[in-house]
Amino acid sequence: NTILTSEIEDVDKSHAAYIIDKLLVRGGKSQRYGTQYRSISKNGLVSFFPFEEPDTIDKRRLEVGLPSIKEYEETIRESQN
């Protein structure tokens, strides 16, 4: 059940975060880094799969070199235009 980025050697931490989240979501669990989303609504709202401990999502993202969840959401929206 515990997948840690330190266990994945020779992989960039931010890339490992995407892999970890994908595995967690596919396993029906909450994602750790907020990299996986379901869809984008017509009004631009991003629907993320649930997060582990949502109050600390930005702290975990920062630790692996990812932007804040708000910045990531903006990037997703911009990429759809």
Side-chain angles (χ1 to χ4, degrees), residues 20-49:
I20 290 167
D21 277 356
K22 185 173 280 287
L23 292 171
L24 289 169
V25 168
R26 282 190 178 176
K29 298 182 176 151
S30 295
Q31 59 180 321
R32 187 169 299 153
Y33 300 100
T35 62
Q36 305 296 301
Y37 61 95
R38 289 183 182 99
S39 61
I40 302 171
S41 69
K42 290 179 182 174
N43 61 356
L45 294 176
V46 179
S47 174
F48 286 95
F49 286 97

Side-chain angles (χ1 to χ4, degrees), residues 1-8 16 19-21 23-24 32-33:
N1 186 343
T2 354
I3 302 171
L4 302 173
T5 54
S6 61
E7 293 174 347
I8 303 173
I19 294 166
I20 290 167
D21 277 356
L23 292 171
L24 289 169
R32 187 169 299 153
Y33 300 100

